[in-house]
Amino acid sequence: MFMGAITKNGLDIAEKSREIVKSKIKDVLGTKYEDYTEEQMGIIERVVHATADPEYAKLMDFTDDAVKNGVEAIKNGKPIIVDISMVEAGIRYENIYNNIKSEETIELAKKEQITRAEAAMRLLKDKIDGGVVVIGNAPTALIEIVRLTKEENIKPALVVGAPVGFVKAAESKELLRNSENSAISTIGPKGGTPVAVSVANGIIALSRNEKA
Amino acid sequence: MFMGAITKNGLDIAEKSREIVKSKIKDVLGTKYEDYTEEQMGIIERVVHATADPEYAKLMDFTDDAVKNGVEAIKNGKPIIVDISMVEAGIRYENIYNNIKSEETIELAKKEQITRAEAAMRLLKDKIDGGVVVIGNAPTALIEIVRLTKEENIKPALVVGAPVGFVKAAESKELLRNSENSAISTIGPKGGTPVAVSVANGIIALSRNEKA
């Protein structure tokens, strides 16, 4: 199994794609290509493979120990907490929490006049502590994560921040990068579920001593 | 409910985003903005909202009756057939088929030396006939759809073709556009699950007489 492919044809496509992706990333980054570790570059390749958008090579940001801390958490079986069902559907991992559709979340959101994504994170804070958070859609979920880490002493092992959009997304990721968290995030409005899922599956592959 | 948002804050973000998206699309398209129907433009707005990538305004292609045929099929409760679970997770519709993980699919893929995505489509051909096909990831699934329509007289009401990647994706969508199918697709390597899901949810909204 590589990049979700299990048949020979699927594998051929995945491998050929990775070769093309590598050369496109080199074109975009130039000499900066050397600034990344092999693990970080594997994750960047997954993102560009999933979006066919080489610009992501310039938009991906890693804090120093982000990959290491994420891999260690997954090796220890810690939970992954996601913001929406599309992210959950794409990640190949058993111990995963998605609270966006629960009754409790909808009630809290209405009561506190916050978004469902925000309420879902607040309700999952015990899982988030020590876990890997993967946000592919909702800026408000990411803002709530940063609040929980600042105000409630919650400590995720890794936060993957890839909310997308022109309202609050770029700002929410800036907040994340300015926080104490280990983080892998995208700079600017771009991001989304394929980005979040690619990063998460890269971390999971590395935790199994596979190629990112 | 608008764009998946149900709380006031969620709605505010979705609405503010759509306004920004509209102006970015106008910047990209210039006078060509007027070439699209209101329904087509609503779908383009969803795609740009979901990707934060205004370039999609130039990449979206609609055959003449695509929106109309898709909306009519959904009004009649016809099935939606998808290639992968992330697409399924994002579409708000009950009658949806995803065959990528079935035993039967895996067996057929191994036996015929084809991809799982291709095998899944072949096994769902009775649902595809008259249904709405939504491909967000696998070029081979889309190529199989075109083959089914050409060689086996299967007639989907609409094919949403948004496979992504540098291997076969652009070619598979070109094949789709050169076929007899009603199609909404992206030009070039870009696409992906957010694009496919946005188009499908736009069609579903229109079928309920809501804004795309």
Side-chain angles (χ1 to χ4, degrees):
Chain A
M1 173 112 143
F2 173 62
M3 310 279 295
I6 58 165
T7 62
K8 187 175 176 309
N9 277 24
L11 282 166
D12 285 350
I13 292 174
E15 280 171 11
K16 191 169 167 207
S17 169
R18 283 292 279 256
E19 285 311 306
I20 298 170
V21 159
K22 245 179 229 176
S23 90
K24 292 200 180 273
I25 291 172
K26 282 179 184 167
D27 289 348
V28 166
L29 289 180
T31 54
K32 286 194 178 164
Y33 186 84
E34 305 300 331
D35 296 350
Y36 297 86
T37 66
E38 192 187 328
E39 290 77 13
Q40 288 171 340
M41 192 48 68
I43 288 170
I44 293 173
E45 284 173 19
R46 279 184 182 257
V47 171
V48 173
H49 170 88
T51 57
D53 185 351
E55 197 197 353
Y56 276 106
K58 286 191 296 189
L59 305 181
M60 297 295 301
D61 185 87
F62 300 81
T63 65
D64 282 344
D65 287 337
V67 172
K68 185 176 146 281
N69 291 346
V71 167
E72 195 169 295
I74 298 300
K75 274 190 179 165
N76 290 327
K78 298 287 183 187
I80 291 181
I81 300 90
V82 303
D83 58 339
I84 62 166
S85 305
M86 277 181 74
V87 174
E88 183 182 19
I91 296 177
R92 291 182 280 276
Y93 192 65
E94 289 299 314
N95 188 16
I96 190 162
Y97 289 83
N98 165 20
N99 210 11
I100 191 77
K101 289 177 178 167
S102 83
E103 279 301 318
E104 209 188 353
T105 293
I106 294 169
E107 269 171 40
L108 180 65
K110 288 190 173 164
K111 187 175 148 236
E112 300 285 333
Q113 285 293 303
I114 56 180
T115 66
R116 276 191 296 162
E118 200 174 341
M121 290 298 137
R122 199 169 297 175
L123 290 166
L124 284 172
K125 66 183 175 185
D126 291 346
K127 303 292 175 193
I128 292 166
D129 201 29
V132 172
V133 179
V134 184
I135 308 291
N137 186 67
T140 53
L142 187 53
I143 294 168
E144 175 65 9
I145 294 295
V146 175
R147 191 195 69 75
L148 286 169
T149 59
K150 280 190 176 160
E151 296 178 11
E152 304 199 26
N153 203 30
I154 301 294
K155 295 195 187 307
L158 168 65
V159 181
V160 178
V164 59
F166 299 108
V167 181
K168 293 192 188 177
E171 296 84 341
S172 72
K173 291 175 282 188
E174 196 66 34
L175 269 180
L176 172 65
R177 285 188 292 274
N178 290 330
S179 73
E180 302 279 302
N181 291 288
S182 289
I184 303 175
S185 60
T186 54
I187 294 161
K190 279 172 148 186
T193 54
V195 175
V197 163
S198 299
V199 174
N201 284 332
I203 294 288
I204 292 164
L206 288 169
S207 79
R208 293 178 184 150
N209 299 314
E210 293 166 11
K211 201 171 155 251
Chain B
M1 175 116 141
F2 173 62
M3 310 278 296
I6 57 164
T7 61
K8 187 175 177 306
N9 277 25
L11 282 165
D12 284 351
I13 293 174
E15 280 171 11
K16 189 167 168 207
S17 169
R18 283 293 279 258
E19 285 310 306
I20 299 171
V21 159
K22 246 179 229 175
S23 89
K24 290 196 182 276
I25 292 172
K26 282 179 184 167
D27 288 349
V28 167
L29 290 180
T31 55
K32 286 194 178 161
Y33 185 86
E34 306 300 330
D35 295 350
Y36 297 86
T37 66
E38 192 187 328
E39 289 78 13
Q40 288 171 339
M41 192 47 68
I43 288 169
I44 293 173
E45 285 173 18
R46 279 185 181 256
V47 171
V48 174
H49 170 88
T51 56
D53 186 351
E55 195 196 353
Y56 276 106
K58 287 191 294 191
L59 304 181
M60 297 295 302
D61 186 86
F62 300 80
T63 65
D64 282 344
D65 286 337
V67 172
K68 184 175 147 281
N69 291 345
V71 167
E72 195 168 297
I74 299 298
K75 274 189 179 166
N76 290 328
K78 297 287 183 187
I80 292 181
I81 300 90
V82 303
D83 59 339
I84 62 166
S85 305
M86 276 182 75
V87 174
E88 183 182 19
I91 297 178
R92 291 181 280 275
Y93 192 65
E94 289 300 314
N95 189 14
I96 188 160
Y97 289 84
N98 165 22
N99 210 11
I100 190 78
K101 289 177 179 168
S102 82
E103 279 301 317
E104 209 186 353
T105 294
I106 294 169
E107 267 172 40
L108 180 65
K110 287 188 173 166
K111 188 175 148 234
E112 300 286 333
Q113 284 293 303
I114 57 180
T115 66
R116 277 191 295 161
E118 199 173 341
M121 290 298 138
R122 200 170 296 175
L123 290 166
L124 284 172
K125 66 184 177 186
D126 291 346
K127 303 294 175 189
I128 292 167
D129 202 27
V132 173
V133 179
V134 184
I135 308 290
N137 187 67
T140 53
L142 187 54
I143 293 167
E144 174 66 7
I145 294 294
V146 174
R147 191 195 67 77
L148 287 169
T149 60
K150 280 191 175 160
E151 295 179 11
E152 304 198 27
N153 203 30
I154 301 293
K155 295 196 187 305
L158 168 65
V159 181
V160 178
V164 58
F166 299 108
V167 181
K168 291 192 189 178
E171 296 84 340
S172 72
K173 293 176 281 189
E174 196 66 34
L175 268 179
L176 172 65
R177 287 187 291 273
N178 290 331
S179 73
E180 302 279 301
N181 291 288
S182 290
I184 303 175
S185 59
T186 55
I187 294 162
K190 278 172 146 187
T193 53
V195 175
V197 164
S198 299
V199 174
N201 285 332
I203 295 288
I204 292 164
L206 289 168
S207 78
R208 295 178 184 151
N209 299 315
E210 294 165 13
K211 202 171 157 244

